[in-house]
Amino acid sequence: MPAADRLVILDRDGVINRDSDDYVKSLEEWIPYPDAVEAIARLHRAGWTVAVATNQSGIARGYYGVEVLEAMHGRLRDLVREAGGEIAHIAHCPHGPGDDCDCRKPLPGLLEEIRQVLSLDNLEGSWMVGDSLRDLQAGEPMGCRPVLVRTGKGRRTEEKGEGLQGAMVFDDLAAFVDWLLAREEKGQAAQ
């Protein structure tokens, strides 16, 4: 049974794979960062639960369909499994900015879906890792600890500096995972 304080929720584009201002519209355009897949697998092997929360407005805009998104997510799951890991759940919002949904980040609907699927009472103490302010804002009302990575749009987000109070900043997902696992190891050694 997963525990909220052992849950890491990741944004997808810009955190796990390269982002594009023109949208990631095909399996060929879905290119994972070299160390991201291994970082996810390392978390899983260390007993952490990993979930993904991703806005995919390209569906609403007609740039690609759900079947293309499922192919990308299938490839992600396969790569993570090959590395010895597992992704517990991938939640996506297919809506556009004007669709008045409750799942598009910065709203917390995707995180609420993850909470329900994982049968957690709350997400208090879990980690929300993203490359944009809206990723971190989605985690805020759920009690998630905010982490900004500098990949994707992260460097631009960091330069703006607005709304990042309390957020930890790392070069990429692998650097965050290095820190988190080292922190855990130190904590266990202190016991």
Side-chain angles (χ1 to χ4, degrees):
M1 180 75 152
D5 64 350
R6 305 254 331 144
L7 171 65
V8 176
I9 303 167
L10 306 173
D11 174 48
R12 194 193 81 174
D13 299 330
V15 175
I16 298 172
N17 58 275
R18 290 186 197 159
D19 200 355
S20 169
D21 289 336
D22 296 324
Y23 296 83
V24 178
K25 302 177 291 300
S26 68
L27 187 55
E28 295 73 33
E29 292 177 11
W30 186 83
I31 302 167
Y33 290 123
D35 297 332
V37 169
E38 179 59 28
I40 294 168
R42 286 175 51 222
L43 278 172
H44 176 79
R45 291 192 306 261
W48 289 80
T49 302
V50 180
V52 176
T54 179
N55 286 351
Q56 292 296 318
S57 69
I59 294 172
R61 298 170 199 269
Y63 298 154
Y64 54 91
V66 174
E67 65 286 341
V68 170
L69 183 68
E70 287 173 357
M72 290 183 230
H73 290 170
R75 181 75 180 126
L76 170 59
R77 287 180 186 278
D78 289 347
L79 290 171
V80 170
R81 275 191 206 109
E82 288 166 17
E86 196 70 41
I87 295 176
H89 185 66
I90 300 175
H92 76 274
C93 171
H95 306 108
D99 287 346
D100 197 29
C101 67
D102 64 356
C103 52
R104 184 173 168 78
K105 294 180 288 182
L107 297 173
L110 293 177
L111 278 68
E112 177 60 25
E113 177 184 326
I114 289 168
R115 185 198 67 73
Q116 289 177 11
V117 168
L118 298 180
S119 300
L120 295 168
D121 292 334
N122 59 60
L123 296 181
E124 198 75 37
S126 61
W127 297 91
M128 179 66 218
V129 182
D131 67 328
S132 73
L133 184 57
R134 72 174 165 232
D135 296 324
L136 308 185
Q137 288 171 330
E140 197 174 309
M142 304 298 283
C144 298
R145 294 178 275 188
V147 174
L148 179 74
V149 291
R150 292 184 176 111
T151 49
K153 296 177 177 73
R155 206 166 289 284
R156 277 187 276 172
T157 302
E158 183 183 24
E159 286 168 5
K160 287 180 187 170
E162 298 166 15
L164 296 179
Q165 298 82 358
M168 299 185 73
V169 181
F170 293 89
D171 283 340
D172 58 17
L173 179 57
F176 166 66
V177 171
D178 288 345
W179 173 84
L180 186 62
L181 296 182
R183 173 181 176 259
E184 182 177 49
E185 205 170 279
K186 281 181 196 166
Q188 288 174 346
Q191 292 177 352

